[in-house]
């Protein structure tokens, strides 16, 4: 399957969200029990700990994100940070930019997601919440996640920015020294 580079940011966000959830088949351990994609929470937690305990050496935020994605896909598990990293890696491999990886500080809700594009074409890609939407819907969506006291967009931290096109070759070059718990394949098929 070939991806058209003429997709809108929302189409890319929706694709990256769905593909991330496919690749992280063991899912997240911090979701409601009915949303677990594993036989039980203990298994999901064990897989997440393998992913999180795999050493990652990096010199730039982009390198951290791409190597974390490789490890998460290898372990087929992740919470919001790992899901955000995988979505970023998928989009980077396809030359989609600009990308910004955001995170709320722990005291403000501890949630990570991506923003794709700029201005009127800016969209949120949130694989953990299984959602992709125009950024102007952010307050409404966060209210749904956090109840009546959602974090404010001003409380966000940008952990990584991609301001130019990446590629599959650049991904391979940056991550070639990162060991993963299992074989890694973030192909587009």
């Amino acid at each position: 399957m070939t991806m058209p580079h003429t997709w809108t940011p929302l189409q890319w966000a929706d694709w990256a969200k769905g593909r991330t959830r496919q690749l992280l088949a063991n899912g997240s351990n911090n979701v409601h029990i009915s949303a677990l994609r594993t036989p039980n929470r203990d298994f999901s937690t064990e897989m997440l700990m393998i992913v999180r305990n795999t050493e990652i050496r990096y010199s730039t935020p982009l390198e951290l994100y791409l190597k974390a994605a490789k490890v998460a896909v290898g372990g087929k598990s992740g919470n919001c940070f790992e899901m955000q990293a995988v979505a970023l890696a998928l989009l980077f491999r396809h030359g989609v930019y600009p990308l910004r990886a955001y995170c709320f500080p722990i005291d403000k809700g501890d949630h990570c997601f991506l923003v794709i594009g700029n201005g009127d074409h800016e969209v949120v890609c949130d694989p953990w919440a299984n959602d992709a939407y125009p950024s102007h819907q952010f307050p409404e969506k966060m209210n749904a996640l956090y109840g009546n006291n959602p974090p404010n967009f001003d409380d966000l931290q940008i952990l990584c920015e991609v301001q130019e096109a990446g590629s599959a070759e650049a991904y391979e070059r940056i991550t070639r020294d990162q060991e993963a718990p299992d074989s890694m394949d973030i192909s587009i098929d």
Side-chain angles (χ1 to χ4, degrees):
M1 177 176 168
T2 303
M3 299 297 248
H5 283 278
T6 58
W7 277 11
T8 67
L10 186 56
Q11 288 171 311
W12 279 114
D14 192 54
W15 171 80
K17 172 217 26 143
R19 186 70 176 127
T20 295
R21 293 177 69 83
Q22 287 175 340
L23 291 168
L24 301 186
N26 294 326
S28 177
N29 72 337
N30 63 349
V31 294
H32 187 273
I33 194 76
S34 65
L36 277 176
R37 290 177 283 162
T38 59
N40 59 56
R41 191 174 307 282
D42 291 339
F43 177 78
S44 184
T45 299
E46 182 178 336
M47 293 309 299
L48 179 64
M49 290 303 98
I50 290 170
V51 167
R52 293 220 168 145
N53 291 327
T54 300
E55 184 177 6
I56 298 174
R57 295 177 189 257
Y58 65 95
S59 58
T60 67
L62 178 61
E63 187 176 356
L64 166 65
Y65 269 80
L66 298 181
K67 288 180 174 184
K70 184 174 184 175
V71 171
V73 172
K76 298 174 181 50
S77 190
N79 284 342
C80 61
F81 170 77
E82 291 82 10
M83 289 184 175
Q84 173 195 52
V86 171
L88 186 141
L90 288 164
L91 294 164
F92 177 85
R93 285 177 54 115
H94 289 288
V96 176
Y97 74 97
L99 305 170
R100 291 177 309 287
Y102 283 103
C103 187
F104 289 117
I106 285 184
D107 66 330
K108 302 288 184 187
D110 187 28
H111 185 59
C112 301
F113 56 91
L114 286 179
V115 173
I116 303 167
N118 283 319
D120 292 341
H121 302 289
E122 187 175 80
V123 300
V124 173
C125 175
D126 190 346
W128 183 87
N130 197 23
D131 210 353
Y133 52 88
S135 63
H136 67 83
Q137 294 178 3
F138 182 81
E140 171 189 334
K141 297 289 187 169
M142 288 300 104
N143 201 38
L145 276 178
Y146 289 99
N148 291 329
N149 192 21
N152 187 307
F153 209 79
D154 295 334
D155 294 326
L156 296 175
Q157 298 172 329
I158 299 175
L159 301 180
C160 181
E161 291 185 85
V162 176
Q163 294 297 331
E164 58 187 42
S167 66
E169 294 78 20
Y171 170 85
E172 294 302 328
R173 185 182 70 254
I174 292 168
T175 64
R176 71 175 156 239
D177 67 333
Q178 180 63 52
E179 293 184 25
D182 195 1
S183 64
M184 168 66 172
D185 176 17
I186 63 169
S187 64
I188 61 173
D189 297 330

